[in-house]
Amino acid sequence: MNISISSSPFLNSGNSVSRIMLLVLLALIPGILAHIYFFGWGVLINMAIAIPSALASEALMLHLRQRPIKPFLSDYSAILTAALLAIALPSLAPWWLVFVGTTFAIVIAKQLYGGLGYNPFNPAMVGYAMLLIAFPREMTTWLPATHDMAFMDSLRYSLFEVLPSGHNLDSISMATPMDVVKTRLGLNMTIHEISAQFQNLFGMLGGRGWEWVNLMFLLGGLLLIFIRVISWHIPVAVIGSLFFCALVFQLADVDAHASPLFHLFSGATMLGAFFIATDPISAATTLRGRLYYGAGIGILTYIIRTWGGYPDGFAFAVLLMNMAVPTIDYYTQPRVFGHQDD
Amino acid sequence: MKNSYLDIARNGLWSNNSALVQVLGLCPMLAITNTMVNSLGLGLATTLTLICSNVSISAIRHWVRPEIRIPVFVLIIASIVTVIELSMNAWFHELYDILGIFIPLIVTNCMIIARAEAFASKNSIPHAFADGLFMGLGFTLVLLLLGTLREAIGFGTLFQQIELMFGDNAKWLTVHLFGNYRGYLLAILPPGAFLGLGFMIAFKNMLDRRIERKRQAVPAKQRVQFVK
């Protein structure tokens, strides 16, 4: 008789890297659908380019590093990185922008640091920040929520950078609500005047279209918390601190600061709070540390949005807090049971 | 004398390269290597400083008391850099304007004081001269390579603004590598310098390891033949 003997732990939750990554990918679907509905097929085309390039560069790097290729490729982590980056990119992105960003994210931010589990920075956000710094023009061609780009038009732009006849980039793309708020506040307009002048850019809660995308990502994120893929600490800390900062400054000067709800339901807030900041590799690991980490992201996002050079600063906030993670983890080690707190 | 000129050359250019192995003088190296011409200009200025300071320090090495050697070295290096700075201002004024603060900052380049302390103050004048020359050349070559990579990737050109160094007659040297290149801003900005230097150090280590493996493989084969 053959008795197999295994070592502890004898109980496991059934979670594995691939299962978690797959669940996160599935939870992105409602947000992606809203994204397609409001901002066109671009996000799908971006994903169709990003995922194969992520897998190819991951396979190439694993081959160069002489690591097994198949188990790492089938854990969905490269696909998740590619998907997050593709969602973050503008809906009118040429194919090379997506390709360069994804390859950079996988090769430099992930594999050169030692692959899955060793990267101190969130790869998707490194790719995004790199693209934002290197290609500022291409990274700001967002379609408005009221666009009429058909699938074929988007595909043609992605492959050949050709727009439908009678259109140019300036006539078809539009500043995002966050961008409008930022530039007009800089011109000493009040929030009231801005929302009156750009009525079709704003919805009930935040930017038009953006509020629904954010609500859908919120829905997906709550599902992730419900099935215990992520814990509530980081999203709550991110959203709470962003809301608190926005509330304080709005109470201080209501004309010169966007409302807390606008901050929560525009730009990358919900996607970032639930899907990017919660990356188990680059986020803080202790429970108390996660609260500090999330609060740092929320505060930095508010600072960059309000006084920084970019209309949205989620990527930079996440990367800055990634840097602080070792320190946070060091100072928030829980007390070992039975030991004195010194 | 244990330092043969061949050893000095090999040390300076490869096995103890100031930029790739000692990683000294990072500040100017990362800041100005965004074009080939800037890299070449600063590299040559540093080489000249290094040669002059090595030779002068080697010449006075018997008369300087060890307690005060560092201030004396700094004084010598500072005077030499001042001379070079004034000469560049006179003859390569536009290049001087571009390199700006980094020329006076050659004084603080750790590589120069490191060579003064570690080599020139203990060796004869010809050896110190050779060390300054090859250390400087090794630094310049790395600077030039990094500058070439960053310029080619960032601007898509080679020898941009070459006229600043060699006059208008050299303008034809500027090469545009790709037609209609958008440019890759990241390579020109500071992150590009860090990434480029990191890749170069990795590449050197890879070559070193490959050479080492080959060197170990040869005697093993000979031994096998011997047993037969």
Side-chain angles (χ1 to χ4, degrees):
Chain A
M1 199 167 115
N2 197 8
I3 301 171
S4 67
I5 299 168
S6 63
S7 63
S8 63
F10 300 106
L11 291 173
N12 70 60
S13 62
N15 272 338
S16 63
V17 174
S18 56
R19 180 172 169 269
I20 293 213
M21 297 285 172
L22 191 63
L23 287 174
V24 175
L25 272 171
L26 290 178
L28 280 170
I29 289 176
I32 294 175
L33 290 179
H35 207 296
I36 295 173
Y37 181 79
F38 285 102
F39 301 107
W41 296 97
V43 62
L44 222 53
I45 298 169
N46 288 351
M47 285 177 78
I49 298 163
I51 291 174
S53 26
L55 289 175
S57 46
E58 177 110 328
L60 176 74
M61 287 307 286
L62 287 169
H63 174 72
L64 286 177
R65 294 178 56 224
Q66 299 168 347
R67 295 286 191 282
I69 292 179
K70 197 155 167 268
F72 281 113
L73 272 197
S74 51
D75 67 9
Y76 298 106
S77 64
I79 298 180
L80 182 60
T81 298
L84 289 174
L85 182 60
I87 295 169
L89 290 178
S91 41
L92 273 182
W95 66 270
W96 52 263
L97 190 79
V98 187
F99 174 76
V100 169
T102 327
T103 315
F104 191 91
I106 296 288
V107 173
I108 306 239
K110 186 176 171 193
Q111 290 293 339
L112 284 188
Y113 281 101
L116 184 70
Y118 293 97
N119 47 308
F121 299 103
N122 186 317
M125 288 303 100
V126 173
Y128 183 83
M130 184 280 288
L131 290 176
L132 197 58
I133 290 166
F135 305 105
R137 193 174 68 90
E138 284 80 5
M139 285 298 281
T140 47
T141 47
W142 277 96
L143 286 174
T146 50
H147 71 100
D148 53 350
M149 282 282 274
F151 176 75
M152 274 313 182
D153 292 338
S154 286
L155 186 64
R156 193 161 158 222
Y157 183 80
S158 172
L159 294 180
F160 308 109
E161 291 180 61
V162 180
L163 286 168
S165 59
H167 285 296
N168 60 37
L169 216 48
D170 286 338
S171 73
I172 206 160
S173 70
M174 199 164 178
T176 61
M178 301 220 73
D179 196 26
V180 165
V181 167
K182 179 158 186 85
T183 48
R184 301 291 148 164
L185 281 178
L187 297 173
N188 280 331
M189 284 172 75
T190 64
I191 290 288
H192 209 72
E193 288 168 347
I194 297 170
S195 47
Q197 191 180 341
F198 298 92
Q199 269 171 354
N200 61 349
L201 266 184
F202 297 96
M204 294 169 297
L205 300 168
R208 183 165 177 184
W210 291 95
E211 53 190 10
W212 286 104
V213 174
N214 271 292
L215 278 171
M216 286 299 165
F217 280 128
L218 173 65
L219 180 72
L222 290 177
L223 277 175
L224 282 184
I225 293 181
F226 185 69
I227 59 174
R228 297 182 158 229
V229 168
I230 58 175
S231 72
W232 56 269
H233 300 78
I234 294 176
V236 166
V238 172
I239 293 170
S241 61
L242 185 58
F243 186 88
F244 181 75
C245 287
L247 188 67
V248 167
F249 280 97
Q250 200 199 20
L251 290 179
D253 185 354
V254 72
D255 282 339
H257 297 282
S259 74
L261 281 180
F262 178 79
H263 275 285
L264 292 195
F265 291 98
S266 308
T269 311
M270 292 300 168
L271 174 71
F274 286 96
F275 293 91
I276 290 167
T278 53
D279 171 24
I281 299 160
S282 56
T285 48
T286 61
L287 290 185
R288 204 150 49 90
R290 284 179 182 171
L291 291 175
Y292 291 134
Y293 170 81
I297 292 177
I299 293 169
L300 280 173
T301 304
Y302 188 78
I303 290 175
I304 298 172
R305 279 179 181 180
T306 315
W307 299 285
Y310 292 97
D312 199 353
F314 209 93
F316 295 113
V318 169
L319 293 176
L320 287 168
M321 287 314 288
N322 282 165
M323 267 186 249
V325 159
T327 317
I328 294 175
D329 277 348
Y330 179 81
Y331 284 108
T332 55
Q333 288 298 326
R335 190 170 61 87
V336 177
F337 183 72
H339 279 243
Q340 286 266 308
D341 208 359
D342 53 341
Chain B
M1 199 82 211
K2 63 174 196 247
N3 289 305
S4 77
Y5 290 106
L6 196 68
D7 279 344
I8 292 176
R10 193 185 297 138
N11 264 334
L13 295 180
W14 186 262
S15 58
N16 202 14
N17 186 294
S18 55
L20 293 184
V21 181
Q22 304 178 46
V23 204
L24 291 176
L26 271 190
C27 162
M29 179 154 78
L30 297 174
I32 56 88
T33 49
N34 47 9
T35 66
M36 290 173 82
V37 175
N38 290 356
S39 317
L40 194 62
L42 192 86
L44 291 180
T46 311
T47 308
L48 195 61
T49 316
L50 198 54
I51 293 173
C52 298
S53 77
N54 263 10
V55 168
S56 357
I57 285 162
S58 175
I60 58 160
R61 69 184 188 279
H62 298 302
W63 294 283
V64 179
R65 294 188 59 81
E67 292 86 356
I68 55 157
R69 67 186 193 286
I70 299 288
V72 174
F73 294 168
V74 171
L75 213 60
I76 292 174
I77 296 169
S79 334
I80 292 166
V81 170
T82 311
V83 172
I84 288 174
E85 188 202 351
L86 291 174
S87 334
M88 281 187 82
N89 197 355
W91 287 308
F92 303 106
H93 183 72
E94 275 124 345
L95 188 64
Y96 171 85
D97 278 346
I98 291 176
L99 295 181
I101 187 68
F102 291 102
I103 297 176
L105 276 183
I106 294 176
V107 178
T108 62
N109 191 329
C110 338
M111 194 234 312
I112 293 171
I113 193 118
R115 291 328 286 170
E117 167 74 9
F119 195 93
S121 61
K122 295 168 190 153
N123 285 285
S124 69
I125 294 179
H127 281 99
F129 176 85
D131 182 71
L133 178 68
F134 286 112
M135 277 288 160
L137 277 184
F139 185 69
T140 310
L141 284 177
V142 173
L143 236 63
L144 191 62
L145 190 59
L146 189 56
T148 312
L149 284 175
R150 288 178 69 189
E151 187 181 333
I153 298 173
F155 294 108
T157 60
L158 292 179
F159 296 113
Q160 176 179 278
Q161 292 181 310
I162 187 81
E163 66 273 12
L164 297 184
M165 268 187 97
F166 300 109
D168 283 338
N169 294 335
K171 252 187 176 162
W172 56 270
L173 268 171
T174 305
V175 184
H176 290 267
L177 293 173
F178 321 97
N180 196 17
Y181 188 60
R182 280 164 207 264
Y184 184 57
L185 204 53
L186 191 85
I188 303 158
L189 293 173
F194 280 103
L195 285 171
L197 183 68
F199 277 120
M200 281 168 65
I201 294 177
F203 187 67
K204 181 192 178 290
N205 289 346
M206 193 185 82
L207 284 183
D208 276 344
R209 207 168 291 172
R210 196 160 286 183
I211 293 166
E212 186 61 29
R213 212 177 297 152
K214 237 174 225 171
R215 194 176 292 162
Q216 283 175 350
V218 171
K221 210 186 275 174
Q222 280 169 347
R223 200 165 55 231
V224 170
Q225 284 167 349
F226 184 67
V227 170
K228 271 179 190 169

